[in-house]
Amino acid sequence: MTGDPTATPAVLPKKAPQVDLDRTRERLTRLGLLHAAERLGEHVATAAKETHPPHRFLDALLEAELAARDERRVRTSLKLSGLPTGQTLGNFDFAFQPSVERSRIETLATCAWIRERESLLLQGPPGVGKTHLAVALAVRAVENGFSVAFHRLEDLLAALKRDADVHPVRLRQRKHMNVALLIIDEVGFEPMSRHEASLFFRLVSYRYGRGSILITTNKGVAEWPGVLAGDRRSSSGGSLSWCEPGGPRKSWRRSSSRRRSQSATGWPRLLATTATAKTV
């Protein structure tokens, strides 16, 4: 039995041409665009489904590559920094520590002070969150592309003493000398010896104008001579400036401008904030 010879044969829908992505994926890999190569098929399918123009497809593919690279950079930098994990601005309890001005911390989180190579002093009694804030600001610095190193004072002094006789040229290659932001945690819990204070002063003097330092301490500025082996020259309030919480914003700006006139042989000007709320 046969059909009607005069009937028009059914027209089958055309299949979309198969796109061979292997060569494109290989070229992306050779160019080092590994994430783009891995997600190429996904982006091609999305572009075809949404009928995206070629330039929009390419832009989305490159944006995904850049985002993946930045994520890898941040992850690697955090690992190399020595920062404790899990301490961010997002999980800091500002309600528990009302003396910490959230607006000031958010301003510091812009990292403008690091770009200006200024230094920061976080002062308060134990348990008020100084280390948490320091680490959180450092995480934000890494996210903004700055190199960071975290040291507790005890560990840093041990490293400085090991390098006491190292030639200055080699000494400058040490990470704590050349990172954009050096964090020194727990200054003041134990007084330094004269030798330690001298090494510490050498570090701060070298970094002046080259990079920022963030110091956490339980001692007020007036108590620093005792911390630094009684050396009032190294800890003089005349070479430090700071702002108390709630102080006028113009005082902070004056501190920033006066910093530029500070002699390179003295302590850098410090932007400082204190925390005096209840401890944990």
Side-chain angles (χ1 to χ4, degrees), residues 103-171:
S103 61
R104 173 165 295 177
I105 299 303
E106 289 173 349
T107 298
L108 291 170
T110 66
C111 300
W113 60 285
I114 303 176
R115 294 185 186 92
E116 294 295 321
R117 298 181 178 86
E118 294 176 327
S119 293
L120 176 66
L121 180 69
L122 297 180
Q123 183 268 324
V128 296
K130 300 185 300 297
T131 299
H132 188 143
L133 285 174
V135 171
L137 291 172
V139 170
R140 190 62 62 86
V142 168
E143 292 171 350
N144 279 273
F146 295 102
S147 56
V148 172
F150 176 92
H151 291 277
R152 288 188 168 81
L153 178 64
E154 181 181 2
D155 299 329
L156 179 62
L157 289 177
L160 294 178
K161 283 188 277 190
R162 287 195 299 270
D163 290 340
D165 298 324
V166 173
H167 191 279
V169 173
R170 289 184 56 198
L171 192 62

Side-chain angles (χ1 to χ4, degrees), residues 111-121 204-205 207-213 238-242 250-272:
C111 300
W113 60 285
I114 303 176
R115 294 185 186 92
E116 294 295 321
R117 298 181 178 86
E118 294 176 327
S119 293
L120 176 66
L121 180 69
V204 173
S205 295
R207 288 188 57 85
Y208 175 75
R210 295 183 175 92
S212 297
I213 301 176
S239 59
L240 293 171
S241 58
W242 66 94
K250 61 182 181 180
S251 297
W252 193 1
R253 288 178 176 170
R254 279 205 305 271
S255 298
S256 301
S257 62
R258 287 200 304 267
R259 177 193 61 82
R260 294 180 177 85
S261 65
Q262 171 67 18
S263 167
T265 61
W267 283 92
R269 299 284 182 184
L270 298 181
L271 302 174

Side-chain angles (χ1 to χ4, degrees), residues 154-214:
E154 181 181 2
D155 299 329
L156 179 62
L157 289 177
L160 294 178
K161 283 188 277 190
R162 287 195 299 270
D163 290 340
D165 298 324
V166 173
H167 191 279
V169 173
R170 289 184 56 198
L171 192 62
R172 291 167 191 163
Q173 299 172 2
R174 298 292 191 261
K175 190 172 183 178
H176 53 260
M177 290 291 198
N178 57 42
V179 291
L181 173 61
L182 172 65
I183 298 177
I184 308 175
D185 192 33
E186 298 182 350
V187 174
F189 284 92
E190 294 290 339
M192 300 182 200
S193 67
R194 285 197 169 274
H195 179 54
E196 290 171 338
S198 176
L199 294 173
F200 187 73
F201 182 72
R202 180 175 71 168
L203 167 68
V204 173
S205 295
Y206 176 78
R207 288 188 57 85
Y208 175 75
R210 295 183 175 92
S212 297
I213 301 176
L214 192 163

Side-chain angles (χ1 to χ4, degrees), residues 14-69:
K14 290 184 178 181
K15 290 185 177 181
Q18 294 294 317
V19 180
D20 184 4
L21 300 178
D22 289 344
R23 291 184 64 188
T24 306
R25 191 175 287 110
E26 179 189 354
R27 282 163 170 73
L28 289 171
T29 301
R30 289 175 64 184
L31 288 170
L33 305 175
L34 304 181
H35 185 80
E38 180 183 340
R39 295 299 186 88
L40 179 61
E42 174 186 326
H43 282 274
V44 167
T46 300
K49 181 180 178 181
E50 304 293 337
T51 63
H52 291 165
H55 72 276
R56 184 172 174 184
F57 155 73
L58 182 60
D59 186 62
L61 186 65
L62 294 176
E63 181 63 29
E65 174 67 32
L66 289 172
R69 287 190 176 195

